[in-house]
């Protein structure tokens, strides 16, 4: 737990995080980060491996780490994205990693804390603990709110739909052999498309989120914030155009990578101090674990067996 | 025995799919509503207590299976995108569903579905894309053939109650290796448990042989990847698997029942020893424990008599439910999600693209959008031309102007406002470019504050280097753009841009106004540099027998300003832009000869045409007559701006040549031979005058 507090402190106490924090919601105002785009363009491609010393990775290491992730967790796949947005320093077919329709069954904002106590695991085989610890963390008094929220998003979708349904003229929709649809009061799940791109400026991986409501409507910015842990919601998340997906698809929420390198460096040095030899291939597994502090209820896949890790 | 109830697919349509659909509708499909092949994919419910969604993403249009995780089953689908909401409502959904169900049934009957189980997963996606408002209506149908077998099933039992841990491990490994040989998780497959308890996994096509060789139904099972996590119910894919049992004699007639496995075992990676990263203080991964298994087995009871070969398909169901759990379409409104700039870009693009659907299929929007335009002069004409170019989707516009915005400007010059005038030091070029960006953020609007050096406006020694730099900068600008618009208010300021356009063989268009008359002219471009002048069209200076000189000297106030009827600039600017767009569609583009003279078409011998209409050389208009006339003028071999003599001299001597032209009003006339021509003409005139006075004593002629 000690290290984790370091991580959180690193995220919160830095100048950059402070600056973002003071901007508060304005960070969400359609940030296109034009200046940063130019800065990224000017930054030379990192060629020298320095993941253990600095927590940064080269594009080549990103690709190797991504190959490992795809191999071990096949829900993740490489994608080419919009060819006109392809980065020359990455292979055309391996521009970014994507896992689709990842469920998110609870709101992180309703967890009382980020990811400290809730995740504390007894015994030494910590990682086998099941996700069943998650719903337990949801405070009971929060449930009615979530039902109301779910009903609201449902309402948003069904407003015109029932009207439409009446005009469709399908005689017999089903033969009575359908499972009874779940009660509207039962909270259904949100889903996220989670992607990982390589950030040339910060020389690290970067996570992007695009979410859908229970009734498959795109989540609003405010709704996405509910799935970011309270410690990070307004400090580390920005809304930007995805670097590889056509702009028509709308803006994605992104976990800002300004502190990724220092966090990754700490994780790698922790591994090394435990007597294990860190390798670049492990980067994304460690990275995704760290990201799960920020989006604790988005249940993407990163569990694998890594020898020696 | 009881009736089975099935959990329908939970369709997860990506925003990315809809935007890609919108893009294809606009750029490829046009008015066509022909069916399009797409693909969907789903995983078995292994990790979560919620149904695995049936995913249709932006890559659904791609053929093959690239980008779909190998753990997911791929299903072939048909997209039907209709043109209007009325079409969506009126389309015969029952017929549509029955049509797909018929194909599924035929594939079952032919045995094709045994080899390619995914054919039983065919689906339909009916859509209407309202591209103007970014609203999409969509409705999935997963056709399921209704067979009586579904009413003769025992309630599902947990797999763990039928198989030992060792057998379950063998099942997972067998499934993984079957997936590996096929490169993808099979949607349907077969399982054999022999009398000694050894478990084997094989393709669906292996079932019939395994069953025939078995003694009891416990030895050969059918199986499917199940996206449904419910322990009490199977998912939708089972429905057509049951129908397959009616279509084909897979299960031996004498069997009282058959076991069907709803496969929901975790991926082997998850079952492997967990990642030891203790001490890192990171949360444990959200995953079901290795021992967990959600798989269930359903026992379906006979009789198992395949229907006759020519039996019609059973009744089909499968239109999916909306968010209120009623059969009906869903809708998605993307406008709120979109980046406003992307929204603007898409909407502008849409309006232009729509011209292509019916009115002008040959329209080449890409060519127009890719044309970069240099506007020399950011005044009344510059503003009006720029706005019209924006309307056509031109994305690169650069203004050249040396002036600042004055209080008289905003009312006529449509890109400026009162605020631009305050202080009297806002450069016009920059203000105009900024205004374009405010109007449409996706435009690449540039500005250069350059004074255009002019013949007859002598350059002092102190100014020489600045003027040289201005000329070079203007040349760089001309080189960097495709089309040059000459929109300044004096004759002589058009000279250098005309020369530069000729020297770099760029299309130049001139717009000039009188008080109530206008001329819009495109400068001729030689097809090849050595072409004789007569074979090409003239430039703005070709009709003149005097070189450009300072026209501002000794002018009164009303003569110095452009005093013209306010509507004239708009008319003229619009004509110039339309002429450019028409030319861009002509096979010979700027080198096309004039094919419209007076009211006559095809005055030239050229066969090639622009689909948008005629490409006249000059359009002269008169407001008092409310009339425009097209004219043609050939290039003049002694032209002071575009003749080979001048262009060659410029190429050879560069700035030095320009300086001579600026400093001496007679230099260009001497160079081109105009001076000599004047002398000859005068001599002729004198001769004629002498003759005339001899005749009747009148002056002039």
């Amino acid at each position: 737990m000690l290290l984790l507090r370091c991580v959180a402190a690193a995220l919160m106490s830095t100048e950059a995080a402070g600056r973002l924090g003071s901007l508060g919601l304005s960070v969400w105002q359609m940030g296109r980060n034009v200046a940063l785009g130019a800065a990224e363009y000017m930054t030379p491609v990192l060629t020298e491996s320095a993941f253990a010393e600095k927590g940064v990775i080269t594009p080549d290491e990103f690709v190797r780490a991504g190959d490992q992730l795809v191999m071990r967790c096949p829900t993740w796949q490489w994608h080419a994205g919009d060819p006109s947005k392809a980065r020359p320093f990455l292979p055309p077919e391996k521009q970014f990693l994507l896992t689709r329709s990842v469920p998110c069954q609870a709101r992180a904002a309703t967890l009382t804390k980020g990811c400290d106590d809730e995740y504390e695991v007894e015994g030494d085989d910590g990682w086998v603990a099941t996700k069943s610890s998650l719903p337990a963390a949801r405070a009971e008094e929060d449930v009615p709110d979530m039902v109301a929220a779910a009903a609201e998003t449902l309402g948003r979708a069904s407003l015109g739909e029932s009207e439409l349904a009446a005009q469709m003229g399908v005689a017999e929709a089903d033969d009575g052999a359908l499972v009874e649809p779940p009660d509207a009061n039962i909270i259904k799940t949100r889903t996220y498309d989670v992607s990982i791109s390589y950030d040339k400026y910060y020389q690290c991986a970067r996570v992007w989120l695009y979410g859908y409501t229970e009734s498959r409507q795109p989540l609003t910015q405010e709704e996405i914030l509910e799935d970011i842990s309270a410690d990070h919601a307004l400090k580390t998340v920005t809304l930007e155009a995805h670097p590889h997906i056509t702009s028509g698809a709308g803006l994605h929420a992104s976990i800002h990578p300004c502190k990724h390198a220092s966090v990754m460096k700490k994780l790698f040095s922790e591994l090394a101090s435990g007597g294990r030899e860190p390798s670049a291939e492990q980067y994304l597994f460690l990275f995704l674990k760290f990201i799960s502090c920020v989006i604790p209820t988005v249940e993407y896949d990163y569990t694998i067996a890594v020898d020696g890790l | 025995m009881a009736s089975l109830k099935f959990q329908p697919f939970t369709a997860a349509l990506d925003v990315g799919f809809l935007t890609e659909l919108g893009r294809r509708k606009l750029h490829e499909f046009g008015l066509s509503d022909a069916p399009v092949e797409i693909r969907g994919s789903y995983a078995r419910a292994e990790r979560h207590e919620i149904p695995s969604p049936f995913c249709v993403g932006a890559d659904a249009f791609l053929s093959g299976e690239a980008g779909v995780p190998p753990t997911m089953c791929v299903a072939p689908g048909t997209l039907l995108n209709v043109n209007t909401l009325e079409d969506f409502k009126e389309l015969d959904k029952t017929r549509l569903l029955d049509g797909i169900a018929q194909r599924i049934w035929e594939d079952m009957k032919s045995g094709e579905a045994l080899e390619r189980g995914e054919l039983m997963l065919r689906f339909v996606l009916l859509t209407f894309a309202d591209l103007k408002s970014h609203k999409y209506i969509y409705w999935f149908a997963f056709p399921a053939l209704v067979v009586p077998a579904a009413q003769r099933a025992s309630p599902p039992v947990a797999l763990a109650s039928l198989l030992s841990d060792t057998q379950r491990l063998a099942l997972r490994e067998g499934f993984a290796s079957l997936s590996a040989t096929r490169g993808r998780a099979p949607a349907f497959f077969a399982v054999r448990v022999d009398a000694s308890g050894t478990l084997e996994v094989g393709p669906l096509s292996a079932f019939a042989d395994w069953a025939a060789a078995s003694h009891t139904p416990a030895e050969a099972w059918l199986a499917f990847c199940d996206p449904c996590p419910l322990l009490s119910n199977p998912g939708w894919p089972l429905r057509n698997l049951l129908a397959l049992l009616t279509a084909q004699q897979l299960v031996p007639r004498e069997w009282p029942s058959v076991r069907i496995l709803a496969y929901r075992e975790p991926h082997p990676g998850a079952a492997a020893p967990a990642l030891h990263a203790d001490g890192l203080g990171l949360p444990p991964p959200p995953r079901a424990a290795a021992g967990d298994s959600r798989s269930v087995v359903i026992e379906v009871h006979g009789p198992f008599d395949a229907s006759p070969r020519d039996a019609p398909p059973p009744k089909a169901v499968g239109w999916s439910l909306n968010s209120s759990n009623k059969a009906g379409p869903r809708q998605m409104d993307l406008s709120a999600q979109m980046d406003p700039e992307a929204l603007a870009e898409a909407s502008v693009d849409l309006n232009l693209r729509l011209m292509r659907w019916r009115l002008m299929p040959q329209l080449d929007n890409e060519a127009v959008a890719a044309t970069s335009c240099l506007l020399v002069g950011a005044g009344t004409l510059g503003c009006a031309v720029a706005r019209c170019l924006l309307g056509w989707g031109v994305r690169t516009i650069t203004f050249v102007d040396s002036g600042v915005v004055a209080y008289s400007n905003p009312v006529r010059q449509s890109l400026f406002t009162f605020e631009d005038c305050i202080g009297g030091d806002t450069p016009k070029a920059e203000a105009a470019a900024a205004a374009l960006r405010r109007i449409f953020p996706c435009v690449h609007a540039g500005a250069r504050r350059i004074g255009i050096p002019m013949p007859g406006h002598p350059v002092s020694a102190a100014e020489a280097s600045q003027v040289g730099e201005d000329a070079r900068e203007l040349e760089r600008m001309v080189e960097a753009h495709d089309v040059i618009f000459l929109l300044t208010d004096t004759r002589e300021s058009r000279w250098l841009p005309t020369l530069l356009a000729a020297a770099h063989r760029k299309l130049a268009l001139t717009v000039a106004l009188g008080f109530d008359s206008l001329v819009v002219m495109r400068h001729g471009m030689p097809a090849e540099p050595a072409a004789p002048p007569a074979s090409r069209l003239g430039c703005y200076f070709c009709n003149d027998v005097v070189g450009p000189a300072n026209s501002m000297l000794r002018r009164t106030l009303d003569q110095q300003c452009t005093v013209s009827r306010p509507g004239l600039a708009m008319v003229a600017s619009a004509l110039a832009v339309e002429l450019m767009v028409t030319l861009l569609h002509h096979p010979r583009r700027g080198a096309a000869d004039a094919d419209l003279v007076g009211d006559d078409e095809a005055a030239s011998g050229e066969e090639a045409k622009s689909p948008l209409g005629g490409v006249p050389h000059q359009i002269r208009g008169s407001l008092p007559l409310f009339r425009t006339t097209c004219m043609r003028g050939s290039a003049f071999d002694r032209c002071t701006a575009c003749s080979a003599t001048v262009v060659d001299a410029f190429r050879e001597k560069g700035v030095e040549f320009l300086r001579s032209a600026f400093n001496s009003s007679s230099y260009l006339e001497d160079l081109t031979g105009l001076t000599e021509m004047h002398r000859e003409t005068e001599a002729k005139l004198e001769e004629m005058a002498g003759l005339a006075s001899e005749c009747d004593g009148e002056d002039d002629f």
Side-chain angles (χ1 to χ4, degrees):
Chain A
M1 282 312 103
L2 219 144
L3 177 75
L4 188 70
R5 293 209 180 87
C6 283
V7 172
L11 277 166
M12 297 180 61
S13 66
T14 61
E15 214 175 295
R19 182 167 48 82
L20 287 171
S22 69
L23 288 175
L25 266 171
S26 69
V27 175
W28 283 82
Q29 309 298 316
M30 307 300 179
R32 280 181 68 85
N33 246 328
V34 175
L36 255 184
E40 196 216 59
Y41 180 75
M42 304 295 286
T43 311
V45 176
L46 182 69
T47 51
E48 216 163 290
S49 176
F51 63 89
E53 302 79 42
K54 295 181 184 162
V56 296
I57 52 164
T58 66
D60 184 48
E61 287 168 339
F62 175 70
V63 171
R64 279 191 283 139
D67 285 344
Q68 278 293 319
L69 180 66
V70 169
M71 194 180 86
R72 306 272 189 170
C73 307
T75 52
W76 289 94
Q77 288 290 303
W78 282 111
H79 284 264
D82 182 350
S84 69
K85 297 185 172 192
R87 304 294 154 108
F89 46 83
L90 291 169
E93 296 308 310
K94 295 184 177 180
Q95 293 280 317
F96 70 107
L97 293 151
L98 172 67
T99 179
R100 283 223 177 90
S101 294
V102 177
C104 174
Q105 302 187 68
R107 302 293 79 85
T110 65
L111 302 173
T112 47
K113 287 183 185 173
C115 46
D116 279 344
D117 304 334
E118 287 85 353
Y119 294 93
E120 202 148 26
V121 177
E122 290 175 10
D124 42 14
D125 273 349
W127 297 106
V128 280
T130 72
K131 71 170 167 46
S132 59
S133 61
L134 264 179
R138 195 199 298 151
E140 225 159 76
E141 59 268 34
D142 289 321
V143 175
D145 285 344
M146 296 180 62
V147 172
E152 191 194 310
T153 54
L154 209 62
R156 201 166 75 208
S158 61
L159 206 62
E161 286 183 4
S162 40
E163 208 172 304
L164 270 174
Q167 304 168 341
M168 286 305 148
V170 174
E172 190 89 43
D174 73 78
D175 57 344
L178 266 60
V179 171
E180 284 300 310
D183 185 353
N185 282 333
I186 296 171
I187 301 153
K188 287 191 282 179
T189 185
R190 289 180 175 180
T191 52
Y192 278 93
D193 292 345
V194 185
S195 55
I196 306 174
S197 69
Y198 179 77
D199 191 298
K200 186 180 158 217
Y201 181 76
Y202 290 104
Q203 302 167 337
C204 61
R206 181 169 188 174
V207 161
W208 302 84
L209 300 168
Y210 197 94
Y212 295 90
T213 65
E214 299 78 357
S215 50
R216 204 62 190 173
Q217 297 295 309
L219 290 174
T220 65
Q221 303 161 24
E222 291 72 24
E223 287 165 344
I224 293 174
L225 275 182
E226 296 168 356
D227 293 322
I228 312 287
S229 87
D231 285 347
H232 306 105
L234 290 176
K235 300 181 186 80
T236 50
V237 178
T238 57
L239 201 65
E240 296 179 39
H242 193 285
H244 297 290
I245 295 174
T246 49
S247 49
L251 299 175
H252 286 60
S254 172
I255 297 164
H256 202 272
C258 55
K259 283 287 120 190
H260 283 8
S262 60
V263 173
M264 292 307 293
K265 184 186 159 193
K266 281 192 175 69
L267 292 179
F268 272 117
S269 68
E270 189 71 18
L271 263 188
S273 71
R276 304 184 194 95
E277 187 65 39
S279 76
E281 281 78 8
Q282 297 163 334
Y283 178 94
L284 284 175
F285 300 105
L286 286 180
F287 175 71
L288 285 174
K289 282 183 213 311
F290 145 58
I291 290 299
S292 68
C293 290
V294 185
I295 43 173
T297 57
V298 178
E299 302 173 33
Y300 56 77
D301 186 16
Y302 61 86
T303 310
I304 54 120
V306 179
D307 299 332
L309 181 67
Chain B
M1 274 205 288
S3 282
L4 278 177
K5 284 193 186 287
F6 305 88
Q7 186 179 57
F9 275 117
T10 307
L13 190 68
D14 273 14
V15 165
F17 175 85
L18 294 179
T19 49
E20 177 64 14
L21 167 64
R23 194 193 67 76
R24 286 181 187 244
K25 175 70 180 165
L26 200 50
H27 297 261
E28 291 171 26
F29 306 159
L31 285 169
S32 164
D33 53 8
V36 175
E37 296 302 309
I38 55 170
R39 69 179 193 202
S41 56
Y42 64 92
R44 61 188 184 274
E46 49 154 323
R47 307 197 308 133
H48 308 288
E49 292 160 15
I50 49 168
S52 274
F54 186 94
C55 299
V56 177
D59 54 6
F61 290 97
L62 303 179
S63 55
E65 297 177 347
V68 182
T71 48
M72 296 179 91
C73 307
V74 171
T78 304
L79 168 74
L80 217 61
N81 183 54
V82 296
N83 275 313
T84 64
L85 184 57
E86 286 68 32
D87 287 351
F88 194 105
K89 290 174 184 167
E90 287 159 14
L91 190 118
D92 188 339
K93 279 97 184 167
T94 310
R95 223 177 116 197
L96 179 59
L97 188 81
D98 287 347
I100 303 293
Q102 171 88 35
R103 288 174 69 187
I104 294 173
W105 181 249
E106 281 163 10
D107 288 334
M108 289 176 174
K109 278 287 183 189
S110 73
E112 184 76 13
L114 286 172
E115 299 298 326
R116 298 175 55 210
E118 68 271 19
L119 295 177
M120 295 189 277
L121 296 167
R122 286 181 196 278
F123 67 98
V124 186
L125 176 56
L126 178 63
T127 56
F128 167 61
D130 183 351
L131 300 180
K132 284 205 183 257
S133 65
H134 302 278
K135 282 200 182 84
Y136 294 80
I137 297 173
Y138 65 96
W139 201 357
F140 278 95
F142 300 96
L145 299 164
V146 181
V147 291
Q151 287 155 19
R152 304 191 300 258
S154 303
V157 297
L159 177 65
S161 68
L162 296 174
L163 294 185
S164 69
D165 283 359
T166 324
Q167 285 173 320
R168 282 213 333 264
L169 203 61
L171 173 66
R172 291 175 189 180
E173 281 166 4
F175 181 83
S177 70
L178 180 64
S179 300
T181 37
R182 304 164 65 99
R184 170 154 315 284
F188 303 97
F189 57 101
V191 177
R192 171 151 75 168
V193 190
D194 70 16
S196 67
T198 311
L199 189 142
E200 196 182 342
V201 175
L204 181 62
S205 53
F207 176 80
D209 289 343
W210 286 358
S214 300
H215 303 292
T216 71
E219 292 175 32
W221 304 6
L222 287 160
F224 67 102
C225 278
D226 195 355
C228 164
L230 301 175
L231 297 176
S232 53
N233 297 82
W236 206 247
L238 175 59
R239 301 204 68 166
N240 283 345
L241 183 59
L242 291 177
L244 180 67
L245 303 185
T246 311
Q248 292 271 345
Q249 192 65 55
L250 287 184
V251 181
R253 280 201 174 80
E254 62 276 17
W255 279 17
S257 66
V258 64
R259 283 183 176 178
I260 301 178
L261 164 65
Y263 188 73
R264 304 163 185 173
E265 295 300 290
H267 185 262
L275 179 63
H276 291 277
D278 44 305
L280 286 182
L282 290 165
R287 169 187 292 283
D292 274 11
S293 161
R294 296 182 181 282
S295 300
V296 294
V297 176
I298 293 139
E299 192 144 13
V300 177
H301 300 269
F304 301 105
D305 290 314
S307 59
R309 179 162 287 277
D310 54 352
K315 182 183 121 163
V317 295
W319 284 103
S320 60
L321 306 180
N322 64 15
S323 51
S324 318
N325 292 316
K326 301 274 180 336
R330 289 174 179 250
Q331 51 186 0
M332 213 190 275
D333 180 353
L334 300 189
S335 56
Q337 289 296 306
M338 288 178 74
D339 175 2
E341 282 190 22
L343 206 57
E345 190 169 22
S347 311
V348 165
D349 196 37
L350 172 73
N351 268 8
L352 287 166
R353 296 270 165 192
L354 291 179
M355 292 190 199
R356 239 167 35 183
W357 282 15
R358 268 180 240 260
L359 299 171
M360 183 58 62
Q362 311 96 313
L363 199 66
D364 188 353
N365 301 107
E366 290 86 359
V368 177
T371 301
S372 55
C373 295
L374 181 68
L375 275 49
V376 182
T380 314
L381 291 171
C383 290
V385 165
R387 294 212 66 138
C388 200
L389 289 174
L390 271 192
W392 267 110
V394 172
R395 292 296 173 84
T396 311
I397 299 172
T398 307
F399 294 97
V400 166
D401 201 296
S402 63
V404 295
V405 185
Y407 282 100
S408 64
N409 294 159
V411 292
R412 283 186 182 225
Q413 306 184 1
S414 60
L415 294 175
F416 306 129
T417 61
F418 173 69
E419 274 73 26
D420 295 320
C421 314
I422 297 169
D425 56 0
T426 310
K428 288 181 100 166
E430 271 144 49
L436 285 192
R437 286 189 291 265
R438 276 196 301 277
I439 291 166
F440 185 51
C442 303
V443 73
H444 305 287
R448 289 288 184 285
R449 195 172 182 184
I450 305 176
I452 297 167
M454 298 176 272
H457 293 245
V459 179
S460 69
E463 297 168 315
S465 72
Q466 181 59 46
V467 167
E469 188 40 54
D470 282 350
R472 269 191 296 269
E473 178 64 8
L474 187 63
E475 182 171 15
R476 279 192 288 272
M477 288 289 103
V478 168
E479 270 189 283
H481 291 77
D482 302 318
V483 179
I484 322 299
F485 282 89
L486 309 187
L487 310 167
T488 52
D489 54 1
T490 63
R491 202 172 106 78
E492 60 267 30
S493 59
R494 297 166 199 265
W495 176 80
L496 183 55
T498 302
L499 167 59
L500 292 173
H504 292 285
R505 302 187 61 217
K506 301 281 184 178
L507 174 62
L509 290 133
T510 285
V511 184
L513 305 179
F515 167 64
D516 55 11
S517 63
L518 65 90
V519 60
V520 172
M521 174 194 291
R522 61 184 171 102
H523 295 186
M525 273 169 63
E528 60 269 356
S535 73
R536 68 177 168 97
L537 299 172
C539 79
Y540 182 65
F541 293 93
C542 279
N543 286 349
D544 293 324
V545 290
V546 290
N550 192 339
S551 59
M552 304 301 279
L553 289 175
R554 276 185 287 281
R555 291 239 173 149
T556 61
L557 261 181
D558 64 320
Q559 288 172 318
Q560 276 180 31
C561 291
T562 319
V563 181
S564 64
R565 287 174 63 170
L568 201 60
M570 298 191 187
V571 176
S573 304
L575 288 173
V577 173
E578 296 300 328
L579 178 57
M580 178 197 87
V581 173
T582 309
L583 261 182
L584 290 178
H585 285 78
H586 194 285
R588 298 187 62 209
R589 300 182 50 124
D593 198 2
D595 61 1
L596 198 60
V597 177
D599 295 331
D600 299 328
E601 252 187 74
S604 79
E606 279 195 43
E607 288 297 309
K609 291 268 175 221
S610 167
L612 287 172
V615 285
H617 175 221
Q618 306 174 21
I619 304 157
R620 290 182 181 263
S622 154
L623 276 187
L625 296 173
F626 284 104
R627 184 181 294 163
T628 57
T629 312
C630 296
M631 295 179 173
R632 183 190 188 283
S634 292
F636 177 36
D637 62 358
R638 296 184 188 185
C639 173
T640 54
C642 76
S643 64
T645 323
V646 173
V647 171
D648 291 345
F650 168 69
R651 285 204 178 118
E652 199 177 313
K653 299 186 201 147
V655 176
E656 193 196 322
F657 159 80
L658 295 180
R659 210 167 290 141
S660 311
F662 301 150
N663 286 336
S664 156
S665 52
S666 61
Y667 175 77
L668 288 170
E669 295 183 6
D670 295 345
L671 179 74
T672 53
L674 279 178
T675 317
E676 191 193 333
M677 194 178 85
H678 290 162
R679 260 200 305 274
E680 287 167 10
T681 315
E682 258 162 57
K684 286 258 166 63
L685 282 176
E686 270 166 31
E687 211 174 285
M688 283 167 68
L691 285 173
S693 58
E694 271 170 33
C695 289
D696 54 24
E698 301 242 343
D699 52 16
D700 287 347
F701 53 96

